[in-house]
């Protein structure tokens, strides 16, 4: 799916070269492919971070999203999650001093759980924003 979406982006789009499409609720947790691939379950992450998070549970993934959304980098870079397990090397490398903040993850990270309800709500919100932009800017 990521490759097909990437083909639709402009060739000089910086997201195309630097980032990857992340499934917030991973395939191992999703009850259906419809739930997995809904717009509200997708976000952009740097490729190395996305590969590090693949099937990670929500508690750890949420913690990573919080770190990535911070406007300034943490020093030292976290090496362990709150539960004591090791942070994947790809995440730790990205959290270095030169990494850009990813503020779009902040609103996702505020959810204590990530399930069908959150996916549906985020999908509706995203589609509402797109529709209002299209209607207000182009169709009205």
């Amino acid at each position: 799916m990521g490759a097909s979406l990437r083909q639709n982006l402009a060739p000089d789009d910086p997201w195309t070269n630097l980032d990857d499409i992340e499934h917030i609720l991973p395939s191992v947790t999703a009850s259906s492919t419809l739930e997995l691939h809904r717009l509200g379950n997708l976000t952009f992450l740097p490729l190395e971070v996305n590969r590090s998070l693949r099937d990670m549970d929500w508690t750890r993934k949420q913690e990573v999203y919080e770190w990535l959304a911070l406007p300034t980098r943490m020093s030292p870079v976290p090496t362990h999650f709150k539960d004591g397990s090791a942070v994947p090397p790809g995440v730790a490398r990205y959290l270095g001093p030169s990494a850009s903040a990813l503020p779009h993850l902040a609103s996702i990270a505020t959810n204590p759980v990530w399930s069908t309800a959150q996916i549906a709500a985020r999908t509706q919100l995203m589609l509402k924003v797109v529709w209002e932009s299209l209607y207000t800017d182009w169709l009205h």
Side-chain angles (χ1 to χ4, degrees), residues 85-117:
S85 61
V87 170
V91 172
R93 276 191 294 276
Y94 186 83
L95 290 171
S98 63
S100 299
L102 303 175
H104 67 280
L105 298 173
S107 62
I108 299 168
T110 61
N111 292 281
V113 296
W114 194 260
S115 65
T116 305

Side-chain angles (χ1 to χ4, degrees), residues 30-90:
S31 59
S32 70
T33 56
L34 176 63
E35 179 182 59
L36 180 67
H37 298 306
R38 287 187 79 177
L39 182 62
N41 192 45
L42 304 175
T43 193
F44 287 110
L45 282 182
L47 182 61
E48 185 175 24
V49 174
N50 189 26
R51 288 183 177 163
S52 297
L53 299 181
R54 284 199 189 251
D55 291 328
M56 189 174 285
D57 67 56
W58 174 243
T59 307
R60 290 183 187 142
K61 194 177 276 195
Q62 179 187 28
E63 201 169 342
V64 172
Y65 286 7
E66 288 171 355
W67 295 334
L68 293 170
L70 291 172
T72 56
R73 292 289 135 233
M74 297 184 311
S75 182
V77 171
T79 56
H80 290 82
F81 291 105
K82 291 174 191 168
D83 68 5
S85 61
V87 170

Side-chain angles (χ1 to χ4, degrees), residues 127-140:
L127 292 174
K128 179 181 176 191
V129 169
V130 168
W131 173 250
E132 287 175 354
S133 295
L134 286 172
Y135 181 75
T136 303
D137 296 342
W138 296 352
L139 301 174
H140 192 241

